[in-house]
Amino acid sequence: MARKIGSRYTVHQVIGRGSAGSVWLGEGPDGPVAVKLLREDLAADQVLVGRFVQERAALTGLDHPHVVGVHDMVVDGSDLALVMDLVQGSDLRTRLERDGVLSPLVAASVIADVADGLAAAHAAGIVHRDVKPENVLLDLAAPPGPGGAPRAKLTDFGIARLVDAPRRTRATRIIGTPDYLAPEIIEGLEPRAAVDIYATATVLYELLTGTTPFGGGHTGAVLRRHVTENVPPVEGMPDGLWRIISECLAKAPASRLRAAELAARLRALLPELAGVGPLAVPEQRAAAEEVPTPGEAVYAETDAFAGSGTHRRRRGPAVPLVPGPQPDSTRDTHTSLRRPSAQELASYAEESRAQRDRPAAGPHRRTRAQMIRRRRTLAVLIAVVLLLAGAAAAWTAFAAEPPAGASATVYTGWYPRL
Ligand SMILES: Nc1ncnc2c1ncn2[C@@H]1O[C@H](COP(=O)(O)OP(=O)(O)OP(=O)(O)O)[C@@H](O)[C@H]1O
């Protein structure tokens, strides 16, 4: 049913839902638009509305072919709406869920588009802070790129920061989606453009392999891996792509490529990626189903954050962006987390080293089948040990004589014959 938003826009039907509200197909004076209508509790927050108005110029000023443009912002009674370019297509998460992995050529082309969009934003002094497949829209109305790759547009610039601030950006809180968080954010540094590069490389890795490099298990484990672990090489990944990913996942922000460099390096690789088939990585895909490691609940602000691995977990409950009613989406989203203390990170580093020394490459590399096998072996071993112990106890109970004065009922174990 049609509904008026401000004096200039009419919305007709919901085309998507996120944690901050719903996205509607709408009509404006210049033609079709997408209208993101923020949740009522957010729209009623005067501080938040003030910040949106304040940042209006920055949000509406970004004009680039690989950025979803925000045309207008409407504050009207209980409605707070962002009027955007209407992108005819799906988001990258939906594509990834459909295809599992993308071919190196398509993945590199999509990420080159994203990096181009980021370069424009960074040049304007805007850090996205929540780059992830959900925030990349694929424009199926635009002529396709190399290898039939859909053209990509980055959306939701600065929205995470605006909606979360000012209540939840205290020094002890982290804003972002765990799998894509750069280590410096976890360690408490001010997020700069390099955090977007780290997240973009994470998305590229995910498009190629079906999982994020540090995701899987409990949120605390994910954050620890970002800070302490290096991503091991992936078999079959084209060398050029692997070098780019490794450089952009560098722990030191200054060592990462700039957005324009990333786009240029990826585009230069495209000719040699033509004809290279998608990677076969069945084992990693199953990793998302692993169970959390016990004792890793230290970071979780609410139970909803447990098991934040976003890869292949899209049907889990959505995590609310700010306190309030549950969002109507069924997807995970960005979260506000307690930042771990230096001591906690140090102890996780220690734990990580211990894990590395074990034969398995780490809990997030273990498949469900492997874990089930491990558990079965362990159960059989325990059963054998218990049986042997029981047999030994029974034998000694019959063979040994109780000490003088000892009651038979308290004599339960082996006792030396005197
Ligand atoms: N400009 C747009 N044009 C067309 N469809 C859009 C547009 N913006 C968003 N959508 C659709 O609406 C869905 C929800 O978008 P929204 O930005 O609200 O949430 P999200 O980014 O998926 O998740 P979250 O905001 O919780 O992180 C998207 O997945 C996409 O399918």
Side-chain angles (χ1 to χ4, degrees):
M1 199 176 52
R3 176 179 163 188
K4 272 285 211 215
I5 303 289
S7 58
R8 290 153 54 87
Y9 305 97
T10 310
V11 294
H12 303 287
Q13 68 184 84
V14 175
I15 50 176
R17 294 182 198 278
S19 59
S22 46
V23 178
W24 291 69
L25 172 65
E27 192 71 32
D30 302 321
V33 286
V35 178
K36 185 169 192 161
L37 208 54
L38 294 200
R39 284 192 340 241
E40 267 179 34
D41 61 305
L42 296 176
D45 182 334
Q46 290 312 307
V47 179
L48 185 100
V49 173
R51 285 184 72 88
F52 265 93
V53 173
Q54 242 174 37
E55 304 251 352
R56 184 194 175 101
L59 285 174
T60 56
L62 256 184
D63 182 16
H64 189 273
H66 296 301
V67 170
V68 177
V70 177
H71 299 294
D72 205 351
M73 294 170 64
V74 180
V75 184
D76 177 25
S78 61
D79 289 335
L80 179 56
L82 291 164
V83 182
M84 305 177 279
D85 290 333
L86 176 68
V87 179
Q88 290 177 30
S90 65
D91 62 61
L92 187 54
R93 170 65 63 201
T94 306
R95 177 68 178 257
L96 198 53
E97 281 179 344
R98 192 195 75 185
D99 293 355
V101 291
L102 305 188
S103 75
L105 179 63
V106 171
S109 171
V110 164
I111 296 300
D113 287 351
V114 171
D116 272 336
L118 278 176
H122 294 169
I126 299 171
V127 180
H128 188 290
R129 291 184 64 170
D130 201 21
V131 176
K132 58 182 176 179
E134 289 77 355
N135 285 335
V136 176
L137 301 185
L138 303 176
D139 185 357
L140 300 183
R151 302 308 344 195
K153 284 170 175 266
L154 193 51
T155 189
D156 265 0
F157 268 93
I159 305 292
R161 182 179 58 86
L162 273 183
V163 175
D164 259 355
R167 290 162 302 185
R168 295 165 67 86
T169 49
R170 301 191 308 264
T172 53
R173 298 281 159 196
I174 301 170
I175 297 170
T177 305
D179 282 24
Y180 307 89
L181 277 176
E184 66 269 26
I185 302 180
I186 299 162
E187 289 176 317
L189 299 180
E190 181 68 22
R192 304 214 186 275
V195 305
D196 289 341
I197 302 299
Y198 185 93
T200 305
T202 301
V203 177
L204 175 57
Y205 181 104
E206 188 176 10
L207 298 183
L208 294 165
T209 67
T211 65
T212 51
F214 299 117
H218 195 276
T219 300
V222 179
L223 299 190
R224 180 197 71 220
R225 290 184 207 122
H226 282 301
V227 175
T228 61
E229 290 193 6
N230 289 314
V231 55
V234 178
E235 209 184 306
M237 173 142 358
D239 280 352
L241 280 179
W242 176 244
R243 273 196 295 277
I244 291 174
I245 289 175
S246 310
E247 281 180 59
C248 294
L249 290 180
K251 304 292 178 210
S255 305
R256 293 175 208 145
L257 300 176
R258 305 286 175 272
E261 283 175 304
L262 173 58
R265 291 264 302 268
L266 286 170
R267 291 203 196 287
L269 264 188
L270 295 179
E272 69 184 72
L273 296 178
V276 180
L279 270 70
V281 279
E283 194 170 289
Q284 288 182 339
R285 284 190 215 162
E289 294 172 35
E290 70 163 33
V291 291
T293 311
E296 285 185 324
V298 60
Y299 296 115
E301 193 171 44
T302 75
D303 284 348
F305 296 162
S308 74
T310 55
H311 50 281
R312 313 246 155 221
R313 286 282 189 100
R314 310 316 305 168
R315 305 294 166 212
V319 178
L321 194 62
V322 294
Q326 279 294 318
D328 42 10
S329 163
T330 54
R331 297 177 152 193
D332 293 342
T333 183
H334 39 255
T335 59
S336 177
L337 307 163
R338 184 170 71 79
R339 173 169 290 127
S341 68
Q343 214 176 9
E344 281 166 340
L345 281 177
S347 74
Y348 288 133
E350 199 49 52
E351 200 182 306
S352 267
R353 262 192 296 279
Q355 271 170 12
R356 261 198 306 275
D357 294 343
R358 283 183 215 136
H364 57 299
R365 291 278 173 247
R366 203 173 290 141
T367 65
R368 189 174 174 71
Q370 281 173 317
M371 290 198 331
I372 290 169
R373 265 200 307 278
R374 266 172 62 95
R375 280 197 212 122
R376 273 192 201 136
T377 313
L378 207 64
V380 169
L381 273 174
I382 291 170
V384 169
V385 168
L386 285 175
L387 268 172
L388 286 174
W395 182 82
T396 51
F398 286 112
E401 282 182 20
S407 144
T409 50
V410 297
Y411 183 72
T412 55
W414 180 87
Y415 200 93
R417 265 183 227 246
L418 296 174

